[in-house]
C-alpha cells in the first residue's frame, strides 16, 4: 500500500495482526458507545460504525504500540508533543494522529517483530507517570487491547486523522532494542519501577522487612560504641549517631535491634529531634523512623565498602593521607579558581561545550571523596556508583568522566583525571588525579582557595576533606534538586553555596556559581517559597535543619533517587549473576550432577556450581530480560537461602 494513496478500511486490512477487528456497540439509532465487544472479519465490507484494530497477534505479541492520550485525563496535545520529542531524541519512528473531535491524540509505533506483553506493559506503566493524559488500558491487555487506526470514524463525529504521512506505520521499523532504549529513557526521565531490594555489595543481605545488614551472627558492640550508646551526644548529634550506627552495623546488628533503642539511647538524639532556632524539637514518630532508616542504610553501605584492616596496622597510612589530601587540595583549588569551566551559561552552544557541565564538577568532587576515603591515589569508580553519590544519571556521569579525562593538550597529564585501568568483570574502571596535582617538587604552584584545610595531622586533613566533599555532594544529591519536576539543578547549586548563619549576596552567589543574577534570583525565590532559605536585608542564608524530604513530598518527587539506586542494585545483581555463570560454564572439569546412591542420599557434593543458580537462557543464549525479572522477584535471595 502506498503511503500517499490509502483508504481507512484498506489500511486496517493491511495492518491488522489478526483476521478480525472490533466494532463499537450501538447506542440508539444514531449513537455509539465507547465499548467494542463485537467483532467482524477483515474480509467484510467497511463498517459504518467506529472500529478498533487489535495491537497483538493471536499469540499475544504486540505488533503495534499506541499511546492513547485522552483529553479527559490531561493535556493530550502537550503530552503528544512531549512524547514525540522523546521519540525524536531516540531516533524512533512514530506516527501522530488526531483521534477525533475532542482533542485526543494517538501516537503509534510500528514494530519490526512482535514484542512481549511484559515490556509493553512496563513502557505503558512508566509513560503514564510522565504523561497524565495517557490511557494504558490497551497496553496492559494482550488479549483484547485495541485502538482505532488512522481513518477509523469517531463515535461522535469525524475520523482519526494522521498528522503527516502514514509511512512510519507501514514501515514496521521499531525494534525490541529501541523499546528497551525507550524504557531506559523513561526511567532516567523520572518514571520509576517498583523493584525488590537487591544489593550487589559483597557481604550485605536484607532482612524480611527489606533492611540491609552485614552477613554473619550478631555480636556485642565494642566498648567504645557501648559508651557512646549510654553517653550524651556531641554538639553535632549526627556525628554521634553515625559512629554508633557504624559500630552496630559492624557488629552484625539488624535494623530492628537499632530501632529498639531509638527512644532509649542518648546517641540517637539526632533521629528523635531536629535542631531549630528555638533549640531541638521532637520529630514525629514516622519522621524519626525515616531518619533512622536512611542513616542505617548509609552506615551498612559504608561499613561494607570500608572494611577494617584485620591486622590493625598500616604503616604507610599517614604518608598516603598526607599525599592524597594535598593532591585533593590542589585539584579543588584549581577547580574553584575556574568556576566558568563548570557552567552552562555561555552565550553559544560552542562556548557551553567548552565550559563543560555542572555534572563534571560533581563527578570530580566524588572522585576526590573516594580518594580521601581510601587514602589511595588510584580508586575504582563506576558510573552507577557516581550516579548515586552525585544525583546525576549514570549517562551524565559517563559523559563527565569522558570530559574530565580528555586532555587539553597532547600531554595526557593535562586532563583532570587519568584512566589507569579499564573496567573488567565485576570491577569498574580505575582512575587517578593528573600528576600536575601531585605534591612533588616539580608540581605547579596552584592558588590556594579559602577552603584549603589548615595544617594538621594527616588524619585530620583527610577527615576534613571527607566531611567537606560529602556535605557538598549531599546538598546536590537530593530528590528536591535531582528529580524531574523538582526545584532543579541550578537551585541545588545555589543552595549548596549557602549555609546557616552565613549571609551571601546575589553578586557573591553569581561569582561562586557562574550563574546569571536573574537565574540566581529565580532559584532563591523558589527555595524561599519552599522554606529552604531565609531572606535578610543584606542577603540570603540557608534555613537550619530543614527537612528536605518533606519538601520533596510536597513537590511529588520523594523517592526518586532511592528508586534509581534500587534499579542500579538490580542491574549490578544481574551482572554479577551473569559473570558467575560465565565463570562456571568456562571452568574445565567441573563437577556435574551424577547418579545417586541406592539410598537416595548423596555421599559427597554432586556439583561445584557457584551460589548462583543457572542464568536464564532462550535458544541457548543468556536472556537479560528474564534475569532482570527473576532478580526483581527475589530469585537470587531465595536461592541463597536454600543453599
Amino acid at each position: 500500500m502506498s503511503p500517499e494513496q490509502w483508504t481507512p478500511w484498506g489500511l486496517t486490512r493491511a495492518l491488522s495482526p489478526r483476521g478480525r477487528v472490533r466494532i463499537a456497540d450501538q447506542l440508539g439509532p444514531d449513537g455509539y458507545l465507547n465499548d467494542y465487544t463485537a467483532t467482524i472479519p477483515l474480509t467484510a465490507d467497511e463498517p459504518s460504525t467506529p472500529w478498533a484494530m487489535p495491537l497483538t497477534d493471536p499469540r499475544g505479541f504486540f505488533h503495534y504500540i499506541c499511546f492513547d492520550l485522552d483529553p479527559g485525563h490531561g493535556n493530550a496535545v502537550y503530552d503528544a508533543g512531549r512524547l514525540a520529542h522523546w521519540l525524536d531524541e531516540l531516533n524512533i519512528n512514530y506516527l501522530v494522529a488526531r483521534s477525533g473531535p475532542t482533542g485526543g491524540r494517538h501516537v503509534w509505533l510500528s514494530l519490526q517483530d512482535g514484542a512481549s506483553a511484559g515490556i509493553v506493559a512496563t513502557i505503558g506503566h512508566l509513560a503514564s507517570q510522565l504523561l497524565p493524559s495517557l490511557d494504558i488500558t490497551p497496553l496492559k491487555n494482550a488479549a483484547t487491547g485495541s485502538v482505532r487506526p488512522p481513518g477509523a470514524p469517531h463515535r461522535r463525529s469525524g475520523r482519526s486523522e494522521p498528522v503527516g504521512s502514514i509511512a512510519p506505520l507501514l514501515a514496521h521499523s521499531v525494534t525490541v532494542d529501541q523499546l528497551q532504549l525507550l524504557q531506559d529513557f523513561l526511567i532516567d526521565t523520572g518514571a520509576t519501577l517498583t523493584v525488590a531490594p537487591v544489593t550487589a555489595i559483597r557481604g550485605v543481605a536484607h532482612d524480611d522487612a527489606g533492611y540491609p545488614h552485614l552477613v554473619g551472627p550478631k555480636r556485642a558492640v565494642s566498648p567504645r560504641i557501648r559508651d557512646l550508646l549510654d553517653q550524651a551526644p556531641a554538639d553535632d548529634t549526627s556525628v554521634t549517631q553515625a559512629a554508633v550506627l557504624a559500630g552496630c552495623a559492624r557488629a552484625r546488628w539488624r535494623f530492628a535491634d537499632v530501632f529498639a533503642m531509638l527512644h532509649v539511647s542518648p546517641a540517637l538524639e539526632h533521629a528523635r529531634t531536629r535542631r531549630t532556632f528555638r533549640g531541638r524539637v521532637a520529630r514525629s514518630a514516622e519522621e524519626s523512623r525515616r531518619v533512622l532508616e536512611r542513616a542505617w542504610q548509609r552506615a551498612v553501605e559504608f561499613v561494607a565498602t570500608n572494611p577494617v584492616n584485620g591486622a590493625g596496622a598500616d604503616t604507610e597510612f599517614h604518608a598516603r593521607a598526607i599525599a592524597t589530601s594535598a593532591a585533593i587540595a590542589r585539584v579543588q583549588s584549581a577547580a574553584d579558581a575556574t568556576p566558568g569551566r563548570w557552567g552552562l551559561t555561555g552565550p553559544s552552544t560552542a562556548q557551553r561545550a567548552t565550559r563543560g557541565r555542572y555534572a563534571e564538577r560533581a563527578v570530580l568532587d566524588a572522585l576526590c571523596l573516594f580518594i580521601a576515603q581510601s587514602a589511595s591515589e588510584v580508586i575504582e569508580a563506576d558510573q552507577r556508583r557516581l550516579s548515586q553519590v552525585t544525583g546525576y544519571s549514570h549517562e551524565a556521569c559517563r559523559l563527565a568522566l569522558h570530559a574530565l579525562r580528555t586532555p587539553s593538550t597532547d600531554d595526557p597529564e593535562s586532563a583532570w583525571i587519568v584512566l589507569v585501568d579499564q573496567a573488567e568483570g565485576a570491577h569498574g574502571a580505575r582512575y587517578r588525579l593528573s600528576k600536575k596535582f601531585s605534591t612533588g617538587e616539580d608540581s605547579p604552584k596552584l592558588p590556594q582557595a579559602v577552603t584549603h584545610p589548615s595544617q594538621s595531622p594527616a588524619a585530620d586533613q583527610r577527615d576534613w576533606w571527607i566531611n567537606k566533599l560529602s556535605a557538598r555532594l549531599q546538598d546536590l544529591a537530593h530528590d528536591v534538586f535531582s528529580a524531574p519536576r523538582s526545584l532543579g539543578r541550578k537551585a541545588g547549586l545555589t543552595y549548596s553555596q549557602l549555609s546557616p548563619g552565613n549571609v551571601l549576596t546575589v553578586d557573591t552567589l553569581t561569582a561562586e556559581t557562574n550563574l546569571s543574577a536573574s537565574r540566581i534570583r529565580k532559584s532563591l525565590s523558589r527555595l524561599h517559597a519552599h522554606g529552604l532559605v531565609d531572606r535578610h536585608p543584606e542577603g540570603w542564608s540557608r534555613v537550619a535543619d530543614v527537612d528536605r524530604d518533606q519538601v520533596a513530598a510536597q513537590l511529588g518527587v520523594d523517592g526518586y533517587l532511592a528508586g534509581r539506586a534500587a534499579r542500579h542494585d538490580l542491574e549490578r545483581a544481574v551482572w554479577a549473576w551473569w559473570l558467575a555463570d560465565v565463570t562456571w560454564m568456562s571452568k574445565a572439569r567441573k563437577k556435574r550432577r551424577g547418579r545417586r546412591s541406592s539410598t537416595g542420599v548423596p555421599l559427597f557434593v554432586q556439583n561445584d556450581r557457584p551460589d548462583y543458580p543457572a542464568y536464564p537462557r532462550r535458544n541457548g543464549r543468556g536472556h537479560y530480560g528474564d534475569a532482570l525479572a527473576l532478580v526483581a522477584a527475589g530469585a537470587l535471595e531465595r536461592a541463597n537461602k536454600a543453599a
Side-chain angles (χ1 to χ4, degrees):
M1 175 177 292
S2 170
E4 289 76 27
Q5 297 179 350
W6 58 278
T7 62
W9 188 240
L11 180 64
T12 301
R13 283 175 166 173
L15 294 179
S16 179
R18 301 197 188 196
R20 303 179 71 88
V21 296
R22 296 184 170 274
I23 58 174
D25 296 342
Q26 191 83 24
L27 177 64
D30 300 317
Y32 300 96
L33 294 171
N34 194 26
D35 294 321
Y36 295 78
T37 57
T39 64
I40 62 170
L42 291 174
T43 54
D45 294 335
E46 179 176 340
S48 59
T49 64
W51 70 84
M53 184 183 75
L55 303 178
T56 62
D57 61 24
R59 300 175 300 159
F61 286 92
F62 280 80
H63 288 255
Y64 304 94
I65 294 178
C66 182
F67 297 92
D68 185 3
L69 304 171
D70 187 346
H73 298 159
N75 190 334
V77 176
Y78 174 80
D79 286 348
R82 192 179 185 201
L83 177 58
H85 174 70
W86 295 340
L87 296 172
D88 285 334
E89 290 291 317
L90 298 173
N91 199 27
I92 296 176
N93 287 333
Y94 63 93
L95 170 68
V96 178
R98 302 182 188 93
S99 64
T102 58
R105 293 291 188 272
H106 291 161
V107 181
W108 289 85
L109 304 184
S110 181
L111 308 186
Q112 189 177 94
D113 300 305
S116 67
I119 188 172
V120 174
T122 300
I123 289 175
H125 168 71
L126 295 171
S128 66
Q129 300 174 45
L130 305 173
L131 307 172
S133 64
L134 178 61
D135 179 3
I136 64 172
T137 303
L139 304 181
K140 295 193 302 181
N141 192 341
T144 61
S146 305
V147 178
R148 288 184 303 109
H154 192 275
R155 63 189 178 93
R156 294 184 179 176
S157 65
R159 293 177 178 272
S160 175
E161 300 176 356
V163 180
S165 172
I166 63 169
L169 200 55
L170 298 172
H172 298 283
S173 60
V174 180
T175 66
V176 175
D177 289 340
Q178 287 179 308
L179 293 183
Q180 184 66 51
L181 189 66
L182 174 59
Q183 175 180 311
D184 295 341
F185 177 85
L186 293 172
I187 291 172
D188 282 341
T189 304
T192 57
L193 283 172
T194 303
V195 298
V198 180
T199 178
I201 301 178
R202 185 175 182 180
V204 174
H206 289 82
D207 59 23
D208 294 337
Y211 296 110
H213 63 86
L214 296 188
V215 175
K218 177 184 175 183
R219 60 175 184 263
V221 296
S222 67
R224 173 176 171 270
I225 299 301
R226 172 53 58 190
D227 290 341
L228 289 176
L229 284 169
D230 298 333
Q231 296 173 1
D235 292 339
D236 187 347
T237 56
S238 64
V239 173
T240 302
Q241 177 174 282
V244 165
L245 293 181
C248 293
R250 190 167 285 114
R252 273 57 178 175
W253 285 30
R254 308 297 193 260
F255 177 76
D257 301 320
V258 175
F259 185 71
M261 300 188 301
L262 177 58
H263 300 290
V264 178
S265 172
L268 302 181
E269 181 69 18
H270 184 75
R272 288 193 299 270
T273 63
R274 68 170 69 188
R275 187 176 60 185
T276 68
F277 67 92
R278 296 188 301 268
R280 300 199 70 85
V281 298
R283 303 179 191 265
S284 67
E286 181 61 26
E287 183 183 356
S288 294
R289 185 183 185 94
R290 289 201 309 269
V291 171
L292 190 62
E293 286 174 346
R294 292 193 299 271
W296 177 251
Q297 174 87 21
R298 292 192 296 268
V300 173
E301 291 180 355
F302 174 80
V303 172
T305 55
N306 295 271
V308 175
N309 183 357
D314 186 349
T315 57
E316 299 180 355
F317 171 81
H318 288 283
R320 293 202 318 272
I322 292 173
T324 54
S325 296
I328 291 170
R330 288 173 176 269
V331 73
Q332 289 293 319
S333 296
D336 292 340
T338 55
R341 167 65 176 79
W342 318 106
L344 284 170
T345 55
S348 69
T349 302
Q351 289 186 358
R352 288 197 298 269
T354 302
R355 292 180 180 216
R357 300 176 180 274
Y358 294 122
E360 295 171 17
R361 178 61 193 270
V363 168
L364 181 64
D365 289 345
L367 295 176
C368 288
L369 175 61
F370 299 162
I371 290 172
Q373 289 173 333
S374 62
S376 174
E377 294 180 353
V378 179
I379 47 93
E380 180 179 316
D382 63 87
Q383 297 161 23
R384 287 171 175 78
R385 182 186 178 194
L386 289 169
S387 174
Q388 292 178 215
V389 172
T390 64
Y392 286 91
S393 68
H394 69 271
E395 176 64 12
C397 293
R398 182 187 71 81
L399 294 174
L401 285 172
H402 177 75
L404 290 171
R405 69 172 184 258
T406 300
S408 57
T409 66
D410 293 337
D411 183 8
E413 298 296 336
S414 64
W416 291 86
I417 60 174
V418 176
L419 177 65
V420 177
D421 292 311
Q422 296 280 0
E424 181 179 359
H427 296 284
R430 301 173 72 233
Y431 300 92
R432 62 170 173 80
L433 296 177
S434 169
K435 289 182 179 179
K436 65 183 179 181
F437 301 117
S438 65
T439 57
E441 295 180 358
D442 297 332
S443 300
K445 300 295 184 179
L446 297 176
Q448 297 300 302
V450 295
T451 56
H452 192 289
S454 60
Q455 297 298 324
S456 57
D460 291 345
Q461 294 184 40
R462 172 174 170 268
D463 290 345
W464 192 92
W465 281 115
I466 290 174
N467 293 334
K468 180 175 180 59
L469 294 170
S470 297
R472 180 186 297 171
L473 291 168
Q474 287 170 6
D475 284 342
L476 296 173
H478 195 280
D479 296 333
V480 170
F481 305 122
S482 299
R485 303 182 300 277
S486 66
L487 299 183
R489 302 285 188 185
K490 293 181 177 63
L493 188 65
T494 304
Y495 180 81
S496 68
Q497 298 296 324
L498 299 170
S499 59
N502 185 23
V503 179
L504 298 180
T505 65
V506 171
D507 290 341
T508 302
L509 291 170
T510 299
E512 292 293 333
T513 63
N514 199 42
L515 294 172
S516 65
S518 61
R519 179 70 258 185
I520 290 289
R521 292 190 183 95
K522 184 176 180 179
S523 296
L524 290 171
S525 177
R526 299 189 70 189
L527 292 167
H528 185 258
H530 289 85
L532 294 173
V533 299
D534 279 334
R535 186 170 188 173
H536 307 274
E538 62 276 18
W540 299 81
S541 69
R542 183 190 299 192
V543 175
D545 284 336
V546 66
D547 188 355
R548 287 186 291 169
D549 291 341
Q550 289 187 353
V551 178
Q554 294 170 4
L555 294 170
V557 298
D558 53 318
Y560 171 74
L561 290 180
R564 179 196 284 172
R567 218 166 46 246
H568 290 167
D569 287 343
L570 190 66
E571 294 165 353
R572 289 191 186 100
V574 173
W575 178 239
W577 188 4
W578 170 251
L579 291 177
D581 200 70
V582 169
T583 300
W584 186 81
M585 293 291 290
S586 305
K587 183 178 180 179
R589 301 185 182 88
K590 50 181 171 287
K591 300 175 183 177
R592 300 182 182 272
R593 187 181 299 277
R595 296 177 58 187
R596 291 180 177 269
S597 65
S598 59
T599 62
V601 178
L603 302 179
F604 51 85
V605 176
Q606 296 293 317
N607 64 69
D608 57 354
R609 176 178 284 278
D611 293 338
Y612 292 92
Y615 194 86
R617 283 175 164 76
R618 292 189 185 181
N619 300 323
R621 298 175 64 87
H623 197 276
Y624 177 82
D626 289 349
L628 199 67
L630 287 170
V631 175
L636 294 187
E637 292 183 358
R638 290 195 296 270
N640 289 335
K641 288 181 180 179

